Amino acid sequence: MSQFTVQTLLDTGTVGVRDVLCSGECRHKSEEECTAATHLVFPYRGVFVRHVGRNDAVAEANQLLFFNNAEGYRISHPVEGGDSCLDLVVEEAQLQELTPKEQLRLGSAVAFRRQRRRIDPRAQALVAVLRHSLSRNIAETLEAETLALTLVRRSLGERTSHAAGASAGRQKLVDRAKLVLSSNLSRRWTLAEIAAEVGVSPVYLTQVFQQVEAMPLYRYHLRLRLARALHLLGRYDNLTTLGLDLGFSSHSHFSSAFRQVYGRTPAEFQRSIKPR
């Protein structure tokens, strides 16, 4: 079994927030396990695969994963390095109120129909702000609860999130491409290299990826790299070094891409997560 480190950041009854780090020692499918409540899991570092029956979902920083109460699942780590996730549990009545009905299964308990939804850049930024603020004791309880519920609302919104479409076969192809990208975020991949790794032509890969994720593959990769930057901004003093470590050609390239996606520069975001 993989080894976990769990830090409780907030627990008010309305919402619980935990920072969960997994070493990723379980490369193949783990033994089946389940949760005692419905969890909303936001990966922010690394990648893993969640297996529910015959349905698999690649979990990385562009995705929100739903762990339904009492639903059996297995976890595997086909890419080395483990993962880190922000784990939210929202009181059931509040979660019911926040969730569009079409996303839920029929029944009295809150359970999601799909394993995952793709979140937008603003939700990614909220994950980082919430985690940094709580871990550094910057946010007071009321502010943290509000941030958490805002994150959930945005991550479930029909206009601010996306449920992958297309056939199961095409979704699996796209998931294989995501694992390739996640294996080395700083690498400057070519389309031909990724297509060769997953065994299809570059043209077919671009078409299927666009169909499933409703965005080009290159933009998806950029968001993964920038989400990694959100995680690391609390650790780097030299932002030029951070940008180069993530595969950007220069500080200006990194800063421009970050601002275009998140609406502010890395330096501005870094200042926002420092103690006041």
Side-chain angles (χ1 to χ4, degrees), residues 2 11 18 23 26 33-34 39 58 64 75 97 102 107-108 111 117-118 131 146 187 197 199 217 221 229 239 241 250:
S2 300
D11 187 3
R18 303 186 307 163
S23 63
C26 185
E33 49 193 308
C34 66
H39 291 243
V58 171
L64 158 63
I75 297 294
E97 186 175 342
E102 58 271 17
S108 56
R117 288 187 75 86
R118 175 167 56 75
R131 185 175 64 83
T146 303
R187 176 172 170 175
E197 289 285 341
L217 187 150
H221 183 221
L239 297 182
T241 301
S250 64

Side-chain angles (χ1 to χ4, degrees), residues 144-267:
E145 286 184 303
T146 303
L147 281 173
L149 294 180
T150 301
L151 170 60
V152 173
R153 184 182 298 109
R154 186 167 193 91
S155 300
L156 301 178
E158 295 295 341
R159 295 184 179 181
T160 51
S161 64
H162 171 74
S167 67
R170 292 190 171 197
Q171 289 186 42
K172 287 184 178 181
L173 170 62
V174 167
D175 277 350
R176 294 204 303 274
K178 291 177 185 177
L179 290 174
V180 172
L181 294 175
S182 298
S183 67
N184 190 345
L185 284 182
S186 61
R187 176 172 170 175
R188 296 183 183 181
W189 293 96
T190 67
L191 192 56
E193 289 171 339
I194 302 168
E197 289 285 341
V198 300
V200 297
S201 73
V203 170
Y204 186 71
L205 175 60
T206 56
Q207 290 174 339
V208 171
F209 201 97
Q210 177 73 43
Q211 180 186 20
V212 172
E213 287 296 340
M215 71 165 55
L217 187 150
Y218 76 86
R219 187 176 300 164
Y220 199 93
H221 183 221
L222 175 63
R223 287 193 184 178
L224 286 177
R225 292 158 67 200
L226 291 174
R228 181 71 170 145
L230 287 173
H231 165 54
L232 293 172
L233 275 170
R235 301 183 182 182
Y236 275 72
D237 293 324
N238 189 321
L239 297 182
T240 299
T241 301
L242 173 57
L244 295 175
D245 286 349
L246 291 172
F248 293 93
S249 59
S250 64
H251 173 72
S252 61
H253 179 207
F254 169 48
S255 184
S256 175
F258 191 98
R259 183 171 188 174
Q260 186 174 17
V261 170
Y262 298 122
R264 46 184 164 172
T265 66

